[in-house]
Amino acid sequence: MASENRSVVTQLRKMISEGAYHQGERIGEVRVAEDLGVSRTPVRLAFRTLEQEGLLERTGKRGFVVREFSERDVQVAVEVRGVLEGLAARRLAEAGLTDPVREQLERYLAEGDRLFSKGYLEDADITDWSRLNGDFHRTIIEATGTRVIADAIRRNDHLPFASAESIIIDKRCLDGEYRKLFMAHQQHWLVFQALREGEGARAEMLMREHAYIGLRYGSLFGLTD
Amino acid sequence: MASENRSVVTQLRKMISEGAYHQGERIGEVRVAEDLGVSRTPVRLAFRTLEQEGLLERTGKRGFVVREFSERDVQVAVEVRGVLEGLAARRLAEAGLTDPVREQLERYLAEGDRLFSKGYLEDADITDWSRLNGDFHRTIIEATGTRVIADAIRRNDHLPFASAESIIIDKRCLDGEYRKLFMAHQQHWLVFQALREGEGARAEMLMREHAYIGLRYGSLFGLTD
DNA sequence: AACCAATTTTTTGGATCCAATAATTCCGGA
DNA sequence: TCCGGAATTATTGGATCCAAAAAATTGGTT
C-alpha cells in the first residue's frame, strides 16, 4: 500500500539482518513482495540496491541469495573502516584543521568529557554518547573535502556492522562497558590532538587502532537509516 | 529490443563516463529510456545500481543528477585503493602465502620479467602487461580469503578510474611510459618478497605506495565490464 | 512590474501484463 | 532402477498503465 521504495530497501535490509531470510537462502521477488505487501516493482529495485551494498548476490542460476558473512568478514570490515578513517584523518591533519572544524570537534569532546565525568553511564548517556561518537567521526570524514572516503565507508557498513551491532545490544550493560566507551572517548582526544598538531601519520595510526573498539562496541557510526 | 538490464547499466555507465550526460546534469528516466531504446523499467533499475556505485546521486528534489568528480576525488580514490590493497597485502603476509598462491604470483612475475626483458614495450605487450597486472592484484586480494576488501575496492573504482583511464590512453605511447610500467613491475617484485617473508607492515606500505602509480597509469585493475 | 496562487504539465513510483527463459517434473525407454 | 528428453512450471526481465507528487506555467492581484 503506502510504501515508497526507500522504505522497502530499509525494511528488507532490516529483515535480512534480523534473520528473517537466513544467510545463503535463495530469495525471490514474489515472495518478498508478498511478505511486504507490495508489488514486485519496488522489490526489484530494492534488490539492485541491496546487491550493490553486498547484502544480496546473484546466484549462478537465477535470482539472488542472501550473502553469508563470517566472523572473519566482520573483522575485515572493521579493519576496512579503520584504514579508510585513518586515511581521512591523515589527509585532514595534513591539510590542517580549519577553525570551524576544530571548534566543532572541541565541542564534541567537551560534551564527552561531561558525559564521562560522573564515572558511570546511564542509558540516556549511552544514547548521547552514541550520537556524539557518530558526529565526531562524521565531522572528520566530511572535513576532508571529498565524499569519496565517506562513500567508501558507508557502502561497507551495512551487514557486518549490523551483526556487530547486535552484539553490543546484549553487552551494553555489562561491567566493563563503561571502561570501553571511556577509552573510545580518550582515543578521540588523542586523534584530535594529532589532527590539531598536523601529525598526519599519528592521526592515521590512532584512527586505525580506534576502529578495533568497534569490534565489540558495535558500529562507530551507528547504523544509518 | 534486445537489452538485458546488465547491459543498460553498462551502456549508461559508459555514456556518462564519456560525457554524453555531463556532470551535474539532471537525468530523467524517460530521456535515457528513449536514448537507449528501451522502456523506463530497465533504466529505473540501472539508476539504482549507478546510484550505489556513486555515479548518480539523488537530488534534494526529484530524480538523479550525474555526480561531479574533481581532481581531488580521483586522487583520494587512488589513495582509497592504496589503503585497501595495503590492508589486503598485510593480512596476506601475516597469514602466510600458501604454495599455490606463491606459485601463481611467481608465474606472473616471471611473465612480467619476460615482457620487460626487451627493454621496450609494443602495443601487444602493454595489453599483456595490463592483464598481468590485474591478475597479480586480484590474486593477492582474493587470497585474503574474504570478499569484503575486494568488494570495497570494486565499489570504489567506477568513475574516478574511468577518468584516470582516459588519461593513460593518451600518454601510453609517450616516452617515459616504459619506465613507469617497469617500475610498477619492480614494485610487484618487492611486494611479493614482503608477502613471502611474512613482512606484513612492509607489504602494506609497498602496496600503498604502489597505488600512486595508478594516478598516471590508469586503473591498476583495468575497468571491469 | 512583482509576487502569490491556482492550474497544467512533467516526472517519478507502484501495479500489472506479457514474453522469455531457466528450473523442475514427468514420462518413456534402456 | 536409472537416465534422457520433452512438457510443465516458476521466476525473472521488459513494457505499459495509472496515480501521486513535484515542477513549471499561467493568470490575477497588489
Side-chain angles (χ1 to χ4, degrees):
Chain A
M1 323 269 170
S3 294
E4 200 188 318
N5 173 261
R6 192 81 203 146
S7 120
V8 171
V9 173
T10 307
Q11 283 182 68
L12 197 46
R13 193 189 291 137
K14 188 155 172 273
M15 291 176 75
I16 290 174
S17 70
E18 286 173 353
Y21 307 102
H22 36 78
Q23 300 193 351
E25 180 183 353
R26 251 177 86 176
I27 192 173
E29 295 173 359
V30 184
R31 183 183 154 203
V32 174
E34 286 170 357
D35 288 352
L36 296 182
V38 295
S39 81
R40 276 177 53 217
T41 306
V43 175
R44 288 175 65 187
L45 294 169
F47 276 14
R48 269 37 176 218
T49 299
L50 270 348
E51 179 195 17
Q52 286 302 111
E53 284 182 6
L55 264 160
L56 298 179
E57 52 191 354
R58 287 172 191 271
T59 70
K61 318 183 168 229
R62 192 169 256 229
F64 294 87
V65 299
V66 179
R67 170 132 168 227
E68 299 178 85
F69 284 91
S70 64
E71 280 298 312
R72 167 180 298 183
D73 289 331
V74 176
Q75 162 87 23
V76 173
V78 167
E79 292 194 293
V80 164
R81 175 190 275 269
V83 296
L84 291 173
E85 287 204 274
L87 172 60
R90 180 170 59 75
R91 287 190 67 93
L92 185 55
E94 289 171 354
L97 287 180
T98 63
D99 285 345
V101 171
R102 183 180 49 74
E103 286 159 14
Q104 185 72 280
L105 293 176
E106 280 170 344
R107 271 194 292 277
Y108 293 144
L109 290 168
E111 268 196 76
D113 280 349
R114 190 179 50 72
L115 269 183
F116 287 100
S117 63
K118 288 183 301 190
Y120 64 93
L121 294 179
E122 300 167 23
D123 280 359
D125 296 331
I126 292 182
T127 307
D128 284 351
W129 162 251
S130 184
R131 178 183 43 74
L132 214 55
N133 178 54
D135 289 343
F136 183 83
H137 283 263
R138 232 187 317 276
T139 299
I140 290 173
I141 290 167
E142 287 172 3
T144 58
T146 172
R147 281 175 41 204
V148 173
I149 298 176
D151 285 351
I153 291 174
R154 184 176 43 73
R155 292 197 199 101
N156 225 60
D157 262 352
H158 292 283
L159 187 89
F161 285 93
S163 43
E165 177 82 359
S166 63
I167 294 171
I168 185 246
I169 297 288
D170 299 334
K171 299 199 173 178
R172 225 169 225 170
C173 302
L174 295 183
D175 296 336
E177 198 59 34
Y178 173 83
R179 179 183 297 264
K180 211 173 294 167
L181 299 188
F182 183 53
M183 176 166 292
H185 173 60
Q186 287 178 302
Q187 288 179 337
H188 283 188
W189 265 110
L190 292 178
V191 168
F192 172 72
Q193 286 167 13
L195 291 174
R196 194 186 49 198
E197 304 301 327
E199 300 165 350
R202 183 166 164 244
E204 174 172 13
M205 203 185 55
L206 285 166
M207 199 57 118
R208 283 177 64 161
E209 172 55 33
H210 182 51
Y212 287 101
I213 282 196
L215 259 187
R216 297 213 192 141
Y217 166 57
S219 170
L220 293 175
F221 247 126
L223 291 181
T224 52
D225 270 1
Chain B
M1 327 272 169
S3 295
E4 201 188 317
N5 174 261
R6 192 82 203 146
S7 124
V8 171
V9 173
T10 307
Q11 283 181 69
L12 197 46
R13 192 189 293 136
K14 189 156 170 272
M15 291 176 75
I16 290 173
S17 70
E18 286 173 353
Y21 307 102
H22 35 77
Q23 300 193 352
E25 180 184 350
R26 250 177 85 176
I27 193 173
E29 295 173 359
V30 183
R31 183 182 154 205
V32 175
E34 286 169 357
D35 288 352
L36 296 182
V38 294
S39 80
R40 276 178 51 217
T41 306
V43 175
R44 288 176 65 187
L45 293 169
F47 276 14
R48 267 44 175 212
T49 299
L50 270 347
E51 179 195 16
Q52 285 302 111
E53 284 182 4
L55 265 160
L56 299 180
E57 51 189 355
R58 288 173 190 272
T59 70
K61 315 175 170 248
R62 190 169 258 230
F64 295 87
V65 299
V66 179
R67 171 134 169 225
E68 298 178 85
F69 284 90
S70 64
E71 281 299 313
R72 167 180 297 183
D73 288 332
V74 176
Q75 162 86 24
V76 173
V78 167
E79 291 194 294
V80 165
R81 176 191 275 270
V83 296
L84 291 174
E85 286 204 275
L87 172 59
R90 179 170 60 77
R91 286 190 69 93
L92 185 56
E94 289 172 354
L97 288 180
T98 63
D99 285 345
V101 170
R102 182 179 50 73
E103 286 159 14
Q104 186 70 279
L105 292 177
E106 281 170 344
R107 272 193 292 276
Y108 294 144
L109 289 168
E111 266 196 77
D113 281 348
R114 189 178 51 71
L115 269 184
F116 288 99
S117 63
K118 286 183 302 190
Y120 63 94
L121 293 178
E122 301 167 23
D123 280 0
D125 296 330
I126 292 181
T127 306
D128 285 351
W129 163 251
S130 183
R131 179 183 44 74
L132 215 54
N133 179 54
D135 289 342
F136 183 82
H137 284 262
R138 233 186 317 275
T139 300
I140 290 173
I141 290 167
E142 287 173 2
T144 58
T146 173
R147 280 175 40 204
V148 173
I149 297 176
D151 285 350
I153 291 174
R154 183 176 42 73
R155 293 197 199 102
N156 225 59
D157 262 351
H158 291 284
L159 187 88
F161 285 93
S163 43
E165 177 82 358
S166 63
I167 294 170
I168 185 246
I169 297 289
D170 299 333
K171 299 200 172 177
R172 222 168 229 172
C173 303
L174 295 183
D175 296 336
E177 198 59 33
Y178 173 85
R179 180 183 297 263
K180 210 173 295 170
L181 299 187
F182 183 52
M183 176 166 291
H185 173 60
Q186 287 177 302
Q187 288 179 336
H188 283 188
W189 265 109
L190 292 178
V191 168
F192 172 72
Q193 286 167 12
L195 291 174
R196 194 186 49 198
E197 304 301 327
E199 299 165 349
R202 183 167 164 243
E204 174 172 15
M205 203 186 53
L206 285 166
M207 198 57 117
R208 283 177 65 161
E209 172 55 33
H210 182 51
Y212 287 101
I213 282 195
L215 258 187
R216 295 211 194 143
Y217 167 57
S219 170
L220 293 175
F221 248 125
L223 291 179
T224 52
D225 267 5

